[in-house]
Amino acid sequence: NAGVTQTPKFRVLKTGQSMTLLCAQDMNHEYMYWYRQDPGMGLRLIHYSVGEGTTAKGEVPDGYNVSRLKKQNFLLGLESAAPSQTSVYFCASSYSRTGGRETQYFGPGTRLLVL
Amino acid sequence: ILNVEQSPQSLHVQEGDSTNFTCSFPSSNFYALHWYRWETAKSPEALFVMTLNGDEKKKGRISATLNTKEGYSYLYIKGSQPEDSATYLCAFEVREYGNKLVFGAGTILRVKS
């Protein structure tokens, strides 16, 4: 049981390049989330999904797209990377069939540097 | 705009000291408060999910209390050990955005042996 895994662990991009971050969970969780973490700030929600085939915007969605074609995977895409997207990206998942108040399980993070 | 504040920002203690941190959050529309422990280069690890005013939860030497009426939670560590060194995050759960978590910036704890 691997929990929540993220690929890649670290990446350097040039401004304007695109990339996809992959999150996978093996806990059969319904809800999945992408957060970004910047120095001195709390984690902020980028996009989330409440089930396979659904996605929705969080607090800071601009410049990112997501897809959830399979229940266990949640992909975060950067179409045209900007230096402001340099951050650590965390994926999380939760069971959430009871409507909340449940632990969100986090992946180890992806460090992204945009030059 | 929801604001979750944690204090202090960082803390250095000696092995064996007991310590506590504060998390302040909006007292209206409370739903749940989460505490996480986050070691560098690892995943944030859930400690507690607190839902009721007056809740007290304990896990080994770590405990937490909750006051939803005044909007604060305390995390206590009794007899700190070097392995307790980490960033401690609190997060306020909201019912919108798929039950998203609004995180504080964290308290960095360093325990010297």
Side-chain angles (χ1 to χ4, degrees), chain A residues 6 17 20 32 41 46 52 63-64 66 94 106:
Chain A
Q6 292 182 231
Q17 286 185 316
T20 300
M32 295 187 76
M41 301 180 73
I46 305 171
E52 181 179 316
Y64 305 96
V66 287
S94 68
F106 281 80

Side-chain angles (χ1 to χ4, degrees), chain B residues 78-112:
Chain B
K78 186 177 177 183
S80 303
Q81 299 296 309
E83 57 265 29
D84 295 328
S85 296
T87 299
Y88 291 83
L89 302 170
C90 74
F92 182 78
E93 182 176 341
V94 298
R95 298 206 69 175
E96 59 179 351
Y97 295 113
N99 295 96
K100 74 166 183 177
L101 298 180
V102 178
F103 282 86
T107 293
I108 300 169
L109 175 67
R110 293 289 175 258
V111 183
K112 299 177 187 176

Side-chain angles (χ1 to χ4, degrees), chain A residues 3 26 33 35 43 49-52 76-77 81 83 92 106 112 114-115:
Chain A
D26 61 3
Y33 310 82
Y35 293 89
L43 282 78
S49 167
V50 299
E52 181 179 316
L76 179 71
F106 281 80
L112 177 64
V114 183
L115 301 174

Side-chain angles (χ1 to χ4, degrees), chain B residues 8-81:
Chain B
Q9 191 174 4
S10 66
L11 199 54
H12 290 76
V13 301
Q14 289 294 130
E15 182 176 353
D17 288 349
S18 292
T19 187
N20 65 85
F21 329 129
T22 304
C23 174
S24 301
F25 52 84
S27 56
S28 59
N29 298 315
F30 178 83
Y31 192 58
L33 188 83
H34 299 241
W35 280 101
Y36 284 84
R37 179 176 179 276
W38 181 27
E39 289 183 71
T40 305
K42 293 187 177 179
S43 309
E45 174 197 350
L47 290 172
F48 307 114
V49 180
M50 309 185 78
T51 58
L52 297 175
N53 185 43
D55 251 358
E56 289 190 30
K57 301 225 173 181
K58 190 174 180 182
K59 188 175 184 178
R61 292 178 293 97
I62 304 176
S63 60
T65 61
L66 179 68
N67 183 324
T68 60
K69 295 188 188 306
E70 296 182 39
Y72 64 83
S73 176
Y74 294 138
L75 188 80
Y76 300 92
I77 302 179
K78 186 177 177 183
S80 303
Q81 299 296 309

Side-chain angles (χ1 to χ4, degrees), chain A residues 51-69:
Chain A
E52 181 179 316
T54 74
T55 62
K57 294 180 180 179
E59 300 170 76
V60 288
D62 293 343
Y64 305 96
N65 57 72
V66 287
S67 64
R68 184 124 180 248
L69 299 178

